Amino acid sequence: MPNTELLNQTITEFYDKMSSWEQSVVKETGYSLAQTHTIEVLGNFGALRMNALAQKLGITTGTLTVQVDKLVKLGLMVRCADPKDGRATLLNLTEDGLAIHRQHHQLHVELMQDLTLEMSPSEAEILISAMQKMNKLF
């Protein structure tokens, strides 16, 4: 059985540091953290329905509607008909939205490279496996 107290402290410390890093990176873009996360999810998964996007972000569709409206107005996202279901709407990034996603994603890649610099490949694989297992529980 793992030392849950130490695990809690370690994950909390990592979360705080990651959040601080994310806030500082996003502040320079002029977009909110919520907007950036919305762009990030669509950039990673492609076009999604509103309820699927909200689920991936862990927010309600009501909260997401505010973000989507702002991102559409900024020209970073579009609403389009779902070719599989004419009654449904998909959300997708514009070219400008994709450019923001690529820039932000590259910052994440560089951070992960820095954070795993002192890990062996097997340690990194164990970390990935453990994080994937924990993420499934959310």
Side-chain angles (χ1 to χ4, degrees):
M1 179 107 163
N3 180 338
T4 54
E5 189 62 37
L6 180 57
L7 181 60
N8 177 58
Q9 290 171 356
T10 303
I11 289 175
T12 300
E13 181 182 354
F14 181 80
Y15 172 80
D16 290 343
K17 289 178 179 181
M18 183 75 178
S19 293
S20 177
W21 175 86
E22 190 83 38
Q23 287 285 354
S24 67
V25 166
V26 168
K27 187 187 298 184
E28 297 172 9
T29 68
Y31 302 109
S32 72
L33 189 55
Q35 290 170 330
T36 303
H37 283 166
T38 303
I39 290 169
E40 184 175 22
V41 170
L42 280 179
N44 289 337
F45 292 97
L48 293 170
R49 289 184 181 187
M50 183 77 95
N51 60 344
L53 180 56
Q55 185 178 23
K56 289 188 181 303
L57 289 165
I59 60 176
T60 66
T61 55
T63 300
L64 179 59
T65 299
V66 174
Q67 293 305 323
V68 169
D69 289 346
K70 288 178 184 177
L71 291 168
V72 167
K73 199 175 280 191
L74 289 167
L76 301 175
M77 181 186 292
V78 292
R79 291 179 172 98
C80 51
D82 185 340
K84 297 176 185 170
D85 181 354
R87 300 168 296 162
T89 301
L90 291 176
L91 303 169
N92 208 355
L93 295 178
T94 63
E95 284 302 317
D96 288 343
L98 285 169
I100 291 168
H101 172 261
R102 284 189 293 270
Q103 291 169 346
H104 190 75
H105 180 74
Q106 185 57 39
L107 293 172
H108 276 254
V109 168
E110 291 168 8
L111 176 64
M112 290 306 115
Q113 288 171 339
D114 290 345
L115 293 177
T116 59
L117 197 58
E118 294 184 23
M119 286 184 195
S120 69
S122 62
E123 287 173 320
E125 288 300 318
I126 291 168
L127 176 61
I128 291 166
S129 176
M131 294 298 296
Q132 288 172 335
K133 286 178 183 177
M134 288 191 300
N135 281 337
K136 284 181 185 177
L137 298 174
F138 277 103

